[in-house]
PDB file of all heavy atoms in Angstrom:
ATOM      1  N   GLY A   1       0.790  -1.224   0.000  1.00  0.00           N
ATOM      2  CA  GLY A   1       0.000   0.000   0.000  1.00  0.00           C
ATOM      3  C   GLY A   1       0.820   1.272   0.000  1.00  0.00           C
ATOM      4  O   GLY A   1       0.260   2.374   0.028  1.00  0.00           O
ATOM      5  N   TYR A   2       2.161   1.150  -0.042  1.00  0.00           N
ATOM      6  CA  TYR A   2       3.016   2.341  -0.007  1.00  0.00           C
ATOM      7  C   TYR A   2       2.673   3.330  -1.121  1.00  0.00           C
ATOM      8  O   TYR A   2       2.899   4.539  -0.970  1.00  0.00           O
ATOM      9  CB  TYR A   2       4.501   1.962  -0.085  1.00  0.00           C
ATOM     10  CG  TYR A   2       4.958   1.467  -1.446  1.00  0.00           C
ATOM     11  CD1 TYR A   2       5.432   2.351  -2.409  1.00  0.00           C
ATOM     12  CD2 TYR A   2       4.899   0.112  -1.767  1.00  0.00           C
ATOM     13  CE1 TYR A   2       5.836   1.900  -3.653  1.00  0.00           C
ATOM     14  CE2 TYR A   2       5.301  -0.348  -3.013  1.00  0.00           C
ATOM     15  CZ  TYR A   2       5.771   0.551  -3.946  1.00  0.00           C
ATOM     16  OH  TYR A   2       6.163   0.097  -5.184  1.00  0.00           O
ATOM     17  N   GLU A   3       2.105   2.839  -2.202  1.00  0.00           N
ATOM     18  CA  GLU A   3       1.761   3.711  -3.322  1.00  0.00           C
ATOM     19  C   GLU A   3       0.766   4.802  -2.909  1.00  0.00           C
ATOM     20  O   GLU A   3       0.694   5.850  -3.549  1.00  0.00           O
ATOM     21  CB  GLU A   3       1.161   2.901  -4.480  1.00  0.00           C
ATOM     22  CG  GLU A   3       2.072   1.818  -5.026  1.00  0.00           C
ATOM     23  CD  GLU A   3       1.880   0.459  -4.341  1.00  0.00           C
ATOM     24  OE1 GLU A   3       1.290   0.404  -3.239  1.00  0.00           O
ATOM     25  OE2 GLU A   3       2.337  -0.547  -4.906  1.00  0.00           O
ATOM     26  N   ASP A   4       0.025   4.562  -1.829  1.00  0.00           N
ATOM     27  CA  ASP A   4      -0.992   5.509  -1.380  1.00  0.00           C
ATOM     28  C   ASP A   4      -0.661   6.187  -0.056  1.00  0.00           C
ATOM     29  O   ASP A   4      -1.492   6.892   0.501  1.00  0.00           O
ATOM     30  CB  ASP A   4      -2.348   4.793  -1.258  1.00  0.00           C
ATOM     31  CG  ASP A   4      -2.825   4.263  -2.594  1.00  0.00           C
ATOM     32  OD1 ASP A   4      -2.674   4.975  -3.600  1.00  0.00           O
ATOM     33  OD2 ASP A   4      -3.341   3.132  -2.632  1.00  0.00           O
ATOM     34  N   TRP A   5       0.547   5.979   0.465  1.00  0.00           N
ATOM     35  CA  TRP A   5       0.931   6.605   1.723  1.00  0.00           C
ATOM     36  C   TRP A   5       1.123   8.109   1.543  1.00  0.00           C
ATOM     37  O   TRP A   5       1.344   8.604   0.436  1.00  0.00           O
ATOM     38  CB  TRP A   5       2.218   5.999   2.255  1.00  0.00           C
ATOM     39  CG  TRP A   5       2.085   4.588   2.767  1.00  0.00           C
ATOM     40  CD1 TRP A   5       0.950   3.846   2.890  1.00  0.00           C
ATOM     41  CD2 TRP A   5       3.149   3.756   3.221  1.00  0.00           C
ATOM     42  NE1 TRP A   5       1.241   2.607   3.395  1.00  0.00           N
ATOM     43  CE2 TRP A   5       2.591   2.529   3.604  1.00  0.00           C
ATOM     44  CE3 TRP A   5       4.524   3.931   3.325  1.00  0.00           C
ATOM     45  CZ2 TRP A   5       3.356   1.476   4.111  1.00  0.00           C
ATOM     46  CZ3 TRP A   5       5.288   2.889   3.829  1.00  0.00           C
ATOM     47  CH2 TRP A   5       4.710   1.686   4.222  1.00  0.00           C
ATOM     48  N   ALA A   6       1.058   8.830   2.658  1.00  0.00           N
ATOM     49  CA  ALA A   6       1.208  10.282   2.641  1.00  0.00           C
ATOM     50  C   ALA A   6       2.661  10.675   2.350  1.00  0.00           C
ATOM     51  O   ALA A   6       3.600  10.016   2.804  1.00  0.00           O
ATOM     52  CB  ALA A   6       0.783  10.873   3.983  1.00  0.00           C
ATOM     53  N   VAL A   7       2.813  11.763   1.626  1.00  0.00           N
ATOM     54  CA  VAL A   7       4.139  12.285   1.305  1.00  0.00           C
ATOM     55  C   VAL A   7       4.719  12.977   2.533  1.00  0.00           C
ATOM     56  O   VAL A   7       4.046  13.778   3.188  1.00  0.00           O
ATOM     57  CB  VAL A   7       4.066  13.275   0.126  1.00  0.00           C
ATOM     58  CG1 VAL A   7       5.405  13.971  -0.092  1.00  0.00           C
ATOM     59  CG2 VAL A   7       3.620  12.559  -1.134  1.00  0.00           C
ATOM     60  N   VAL A   8       5.971  12.662   2.833  1.00  0.00           N
ATOM     61  CA  VAL A   8       6.704  13.313   3.910  1.00  0.00           C
ATOM     62  C   VAL A   8       7.508  14.464   3.334  1.00  0.00           C
ATOM     63  O   VAL A   8       7.488  15.578   3.838  1.00  0.00           O
ATOM     64  CB  VAL A   8       7.653  12.309   4.613  1.00  0.00           C
ATOM     65  CG1 VAL A   8       8.577  13.023   5.593  1.00  0.00           C
ATOM     66  CG2 VAL A   8       6.864  11.215   5.300  1.00  0.00           C
ATOM     67  N   SER A   9       8.218  14.173   2.245  1.00  0.00           N
ATOM     68  CA  SER A   9       9.132  15.143   1.668  1.00  0.00           C
ATOM     69  C   SER A   9       9.517  14.697   0.266  1.00  0.00           C
ATOM     70  O   SER A   9       9.085  13.640  -0.199  1.00  0.00           O
ATOM     71  CB  SER A   9      10.382  15.229   2.559  1.00  0.00           C
ATOM     72  OG  SER A   9      11.260  16.234   2.123  1.00  0.00           O
ATOM     73  N   SER A  10      10.338  15.493  -0.370  1.00  0.00           N
ATOM     74  CA  SER A  10      10.907  15.114  -1.661  1.00  0.00           C
ATOM     75  C   SER A  10      12.368  15.562  -1.672  1.00  0.00           C
ATOM     76  O   SER A  10      12.784  16.366  -0.842  1.00  0.00           O
ATOM     77  CB  SER A  10      10.139  15.751  -2.818  1.00  0.00           C
ATOM     78  OG  SER A  10      10.255  17.150  -2.764  1.00  0.00           O
ATOM     79  N   ALA A  11      13.119  15.011  -2.606  1.00  0.00           N
ATOM     80  CA  ALA A  11      14.536  15.363  -2.717  1.00  0.00           C
ATOM     81  C   ALA A  11      14.984  15.141  -4.151  1.00  0.00           C
ATOM     82  O   ALA A  11      14.315  14.450  -4.929  1.00  0.00           O
ATOM     83  CB  ALA A  11      15.367  14.515  -1.752  1.00  0.00           C
ATOM     84  N   ARG A  12      16.118  15.721  -4.477  1.00  0.00           N
ATOM     85  CA  ARG A  12      16.658  15.581  -5.831  1.00  0.00           C
ATOM     86  C   ARG A  12      18.157  15.490  -5.739  1.00  0.00           C
ATOM     87  O   ARG A  12      18.791  16.258  -5.021  1.00  0.00           O
ATOM     88  CB  ARG A  12      16.283  16.806  -6.665  1.00  0.00           C
ATOM     89  CG  ARG A  12      17.019  16.867  -8.008  1.00  0.00           C
ATOM     90  CD  ARG A  12      16.069  16.907  -9.121  1.00  0.00           C
ATOM     91  NE  ARG A  12      16.505  17.127 -10.453  1.00  0.00           N
ATOM     92  CZ  ARG A  12      17.474  16.511 -11.118  1.00  0.00           C
ATOM     93  NH1 ARG A  12      18.235  15.650 -10.538  1.00  0.00           N
ATOM     94  NH2 ARG A  12      17.691  16.759 -12.388  1.00  0.00           N
ATOM     95  N   THR A  13      18.732  14.524  -6.433  1.00  0.00           N
ATOM     96  CA  THR A  13      20.175  14.458  -6.620  1.00  0.00           C
ATOM     97  C   THR A  13      20.419  14.670  -8.114  1.00  0.00           C
ATOM     98  O   THR A  13      19.470  14.844  -8.881  1.00  0.00           O
ATOM     99  CB  THR A  13      20.764  13.101  -6.195  1.00  0.00           C
ATOM    100  OG1 THR A  13      20.286  12.089  -7.088  1.00  0.00           O
ATOM    101  CG2 THR A  13      20.380  12.755  -4.758  1.00  0.00           C
ATOM    102  N   ASP A  14      21.660  14.606  -8.523  1.00  0.00           N
ATOM    103  CA  ASP A  14      21.947  14.727  -9.953  1.00  0.00           C
ATOM    104  C   ASP A  14      21.371  13.561 -10.738  1.00  0.00           C
ATOM    105  O   ASP A  14      21.063  13.690 -11.913  1.00  0.00           O
ATOM    106  CB  ASP A  14      23.463  14.799 -10.193  1.00  0.00           C
ATOM    107  CG  ASP A  14      24.049  16.114  -9.716  1.00  0.00           C
ATOM    108  OD1 ASP A  14      23.299  17.098  -9.592  1.00  0.00           O
ATOM    109  OD2 ASP A  14      25.266  16.143  -9.459  1.00  0.00           O
ATOM    110  N   GLU A  15      21.195  12.408 -10.063  1.00  0.00           N
ATOM    111  CA  GLU A  15      20.758  11.198 -10.763  1.00  0.00           C
ATOM    112  C   GLU A  15      19.275  10.872 -10.622  1.00  0.00           C
ATOM    113  O   GLU A  15      18.702  10.239 -11.503  1.00  0.00           O
ATOM    114  CB  GLU A  15      21.546   9.978 -10.264  1.00  0.00           C
ATOM    115  CG  GLU A  15      23.022  10.013 -10.572  1.00  0.00           C
ATOM    116  CD  GLU A  15      23.816  10.837  -9.554  1.00  0.00           C
ATOM    117  OE1 GLU A  15      23.404  10.893  -8.383  1.00  0.00           O
ATOM    118  OE2 GLU A  15      24.823  11.446  -9.941  1.00  0.00           O
ATOM    119  N   VAL A  16      18.644  11.230  -9.502  1.00  0.00           N
ATOM    120  CA  VAL A  16      17.269  10.781  -9.262  1.00  0.00           C
ATOM    121  C   VAL A  16      16.399  11.840  -8.600  1.00  0.00           C
ATOM    122  O   VAL A  16      16.883  12.703  -7.871  1.00  0.00           O
ATOM    123  CB  VAL A  16      17.221   9.493  -8.392  1.00  0.00           C
ATOM    124  CG1 VAL A  16      17.798   8.304  -9.120  1.00  0.00           C
ATOM    125  CG2 VAL A  16      17.905   9.676  -7.065  1.00  0.00           C
ATOM    126  N   LEU A  17      15.102  11.720  -8.863  1.00  0.00           N
ATOM    127  CA  LEU A  17      14.067  12.446  -8.125  1.00  0.00           C
ATOM    128  C   LEU A  17      13.539  11.478  -7.083  1.00  0.00           C
ATOM    129  O   LEU A  17      13.321  10.299  -7.371  1.00  0.00           O
ATOM    130  CB  LEU A  17      12.927  12.851  -9.053  1.00  0.00           C
ATOM    131  CG  LEU A  17      13.242  13.829 -10.168  1.00  0.00           C
ATOM    132  CD1 LEU A  17      12.021  13.996 -11.070  1.00  0.00           C
ATOM    133  CD2 LEU A  17      13.665  15.168  -9.610  1.00  0.00           C
ATOM    134  N   LYS A  18      13.315  11.974  -5.863  1.00  0.00           N
ATOM    135  CA  LYS A  18      12.884  11.103  -4.776  1.00  0.00           C
ATOM    136  C   LYS A  18      11.623  11.664  -4.137  1.00  0.00           C
ATOM    137  O   LYS A  18      11.520  12.866  -3.900  1.00  0.00           O
ATOM    138  CB  LYS A  18      13.969  11.002  -3.703  1.00  0.00           C
ATOM    139  CG  LYS A  18      15.320  10.571  -4.235  1.00  0.00           C
ATOM    140  CD  LYS A  18      16.378  10.664  -3.152  1.00  0.00           C
ATOM    141  CE  LYS A  18      17.743  10.326  -3.731  1.00  0.00           C
ATOM    142  NZ  LYS A  18      18.743  10.157  -2.688  1.00  0.00           N
ATOM    143  N   VAL A  19      10.700  10.790  -3.836  1.00  0.00           N
ATOM    144  CA  VAL A  19       9.529  11.146  -3.050  1.00  0.00           C
ATOM    145  C   VAL A  19       9.543  10.222  -1.844  1.00  0.00           C
ATOM    146  O   VAL A  19       9.636   8.999  -1.985  1.00  0.00           O
ATOM    147  CB  VAL A  19       8.217  10.984  -3.856  1.00  0.00           C
ATOM    148  CG1 VAL A  19       7.015  11.229  -2.964  1.00  0.00           C
ATOM    149  CG2 VAL A  19       8.206  11.930  -5.046  1.00  0.00           C
ATOM    150  N   ILE A  20       9.492  10.823  -0.663  1.00  0.00           N
ATOM    151  CA  ILE A  20       9.542  10.062   0.576  1.00  0.00           C
ATOM    152  C   ILE A  20       8.129  10.004   1.139  1.00  0.00           C
ATOM    153  O   ILE A  20       7.486  11.039   1.352  1.00  0.00           O
ATOM    154  CB  ILE A  20      10.522  10.711   1.580  1.00  0.00           C
ATOM    155  CG1 ILE A  20      11.959  10.682   1.024  1.00  0.00           C
ATOM    156  CG2 ILE A  20      10.486   9.978   2.903  1.00  0.00           C
ATOM    157  CD1 ILE A  20      12.342  11.816   0.162  1.00  0.00           C
ATOM    158  N   VAL A  21       7.642   8.777   1.336  1.00  0.00           N
ATOM    159  CA  VAL A  21       6.293   8.559   1.854  1.00  0.00           C
ATOM    160  C   VAL A  21       6.378   7.730   3.135  1.00  0.00           C
ATOM    161  O   VAL A  21       7.346   7.001   3.349  1.00  0.00           O
ATOM    162  CB  VAL A  21       5.392   7.855   0.811  1.00  0.00           C
ATOM    163  CG1 VAL A  21       5.221   8.714  -0.435  1.00  0.00           C
ATOM    164  CG2 VAL A  21       5.926   6.480   0.423  1.00  0.00           C
ATOM    165  N   ALA A  22       5.368   7.846   3.980  1.00  0.00           N
ATOM    166  CA  ALA A  22       5.362   7.098   5.241  1.00  0.00           C
ATOM    167  C   ALA A  22       3.986   6.519   5.510  1.00  0.00           C
ATOM    168  O   ALA A  22       2.967   7.073   5.078  1.00  0.00           O
ATOM    169  CB  ALA A  22       5.787   8.007   6.392  1.00  0.00           C
ATOM    170  N   ASN A  23       3.993   5.421   6.277  1.00  0.00           N
ATOM    171  CA  ASN A  23       2.731   4.768   6.627  1.00  0.00           C
ATOM    172  C   ASN A  23       1.993   5.601   7.689  1.00  0.00           C
ATOM    173  O   ASN A  23       2.562   6.528   8.282  1.00  0.00           O
ATOM    174  CB  ASN A  23       2.967   3.321   7.065  1.00  0.00           C
ATOM    175  CG  ASN A  23       3.625   3.178   8.431  1.00  0.00           C
ATOM    176  OD1 ASN A  23       4.182   4.116   8.985  1.00  0.00           O
ATOM    177  ND2 ASN A  23       3.574   1.979   8.972  1.00  0.00           N
ATOM    178  N   PRO A  24       0.731   5.293   7.940  1.00  0.00           N
ATOM    179  CA  PRO A  24      -0.053   6.080   8.903  1.00  0.00           C
ATOM    180  C   PRO A  24       0.563   6.138  10.306  1.00  0.00           C
ATOM    181  O   PRO A  24       0.459   7.174  10.979  1.00  0.00           O
ATOM    182  CB  PRO A  24      -1.415   5.377   8.913  1.00  0.00           C
ATOM    183  CG  PRO A  24      -1.534   4.790   7.533  1.00  0.00           C
ATOM    184  CD  PRO A  24      -0.128   4.328   7.205  1.00  0.00           C
TER     185      PRO A  24
END
């Protein structure tokens, strides 16, 4: 179910875009 967890934050490096999500 991680696909539907709430977003905590986001980040970017030279190589990747990141979305950080957490469970309830």
Side-chain angles (χ1 to χ4, degrees):
Y2 72 89
E3 301 91 343
D4 297 319
W5 289 355
V7 172
V8 171
S9 185
S10 64
R12 169 122 172 50
T13 67
D14 290 338
E15 295 83 30
V16 293
L17 296 174
K18 306 173 184 191
V19 174
I20 296 87
V21 298
N23 72 345

